[in-house]
Structure formats: structure tokens, C-alpha cells
Amino acid sequence: MRQKLVIGNWKMHGSLAANATLLAGIKATPARARLAVCVPFPYLAQCQAELTGSSIGWGAQDVSAETRGAFTGEVAAPMLGDFGCTYVLVGHSERRTYHGETDTTVATKALRALESGIVPVVCVGETLAQREAGETEAVVGRQLTAVLDALSIEQLGRIVLAYEPVWAIGTGKTATSAQAQAVHAFLRQQVAARGSELAEVAARLPILYGGSVKPDNAAELFSMSDIDGGLIGGASLKAEDFLAIGNA
Ligand code: 13P
């Protein structure tokens, strides 16, 4: 049985004052799922100070594909390690769309995270046009394959996958539980299909769903056999909603 994991993606939201209230709120009540928050880089120190010793993990929303050097504006995985990050999102559709991240870049970022002992949350997902053209499996399959090609079996045993249909992000349109389950099952089966050594990895792989998850649809989504929790945008900014999803 895979334990449910619910990760908040704050995106580019927050302030020291607002975060203090939010973090105090989510620390106040234990949730049934494991919880974590992925926050803007400047707030990692605040999360480390507020969440150390709690059951809530924290992490970043991106990491450099490089380890060090003349890469102005980039943040390297060992730096995230300095701030106690457990997780880092890689390949979020907003990074792929607005920053031109390719499947190969995303796979390299996942590798850099793992080398620093940080769990990459590898995001995959199709656009509405791709879904309507019947390309969902081809698109998420291609995004996943780049990661499977770049990582060892041992490393694949340490990643988290997140299926986020681009058309469901911030739109209030959620994939139905059946639509999401179908893609999650496909992703798990793609990992298993790589060979018998991957069977165990595939069976244990946490696959989160993201895209307009709210307190009122989380339980239905999380009841599906291949949905192991959620990656939550908007609803992670309110302690009450985030906790309700963590208890769904
Ligand atoms: P929303 O929950 O706001 O749709 O965002 C989903 C997301 O992109 C999480 O990474």
C-alpha cells in the first residue's frame, strides 16, 4: 500500500508574513496524508525554520540542471540541500511552457536532485489540444521516457511522478477520476514495461494528480487505485483547504 502524499505548490505566491500564518495553520492539525510544500526559493529558509521537527516536508519548485558555475540566476541542487529540502518539482508545465524546458532538461534536473538526496517530483501532462487529438499517452509517455532513460533503477526508486493535465491547471476544470486513473495506470505500466527489474519500482512509485484539486473533489480522485495523492496549486494557499485535501 502506497501512503498518500499531498504536496502544495505555492507557485509565485507568498510573503514572509502570509507564509508564517499559512505554515502555522498547516502545522496545527495532523493530516492523514504525508504533507509537503514547494515554495519560492527565498522562503526555503523560513520553511526550514518553521517546519523542522514537524511531519511536514518542504522543497523548491525548480532546480538547475547544472551543479555549479557561471549560471546567473540559477539555483543548484546542493543549495536546496543546504536548506533541508526533501522535494523539488521538475518539469512543471509552467516551466516547460514559459521557460522552454525540454524533456531532456527535465530529466537532467531530476538527476541533479537525486545526486543531492532530494526527491524530484517529475511533472508530466498534455495540453487540451493534445488530448483532443488523442495524443495524451504519446505525450506523457515521451515525457516519462526521457526520465526513465536518464536514471538508474535505484534512482527511479526514489522519484515521485505527478500527472498534471495542462488544461486542468488553474482552470477549475478537473480531470474526472476515471480520466486521471487511466493516465496514472498508463504511466505505471510504462515503467513496468521497461523490464522485470522495474516491476517493484513501478508498484511502489507514487503518482500524484494535479490540476484544480479542491477539498470537494480530492476524496474521489484519491480513491482511485493508481492515484497516490495530489499536487495542489491554488488550494494549497489556504491552510484549511490544504488540510482538508490532506485528509481526503
Ligand atoms: P491548481 O491546483 O491551482 O490547478 O494548480 C495545479 C498545479 O499546477 C500544481 O502544480
Side-chain angles (χ1 to χ4, degrees), residues 22 33 60 63 120 127 172 183 189 246:
L22 178 54
V63 64
T127 64
V183 178
Q189 177 244 313

Side-chain angles (χ1 to χ4, degrees), residues 9 11 92 94 164 168-171 210-214 231-235:
N9 173 9
K11 306 196 178 184
H92 191 280
E94 288 151 17
E164 297 206 311
I169 296 177
T171 57
S212 298
V213 179
K214 306 286 179 227
L231 183 54
I232 320 300

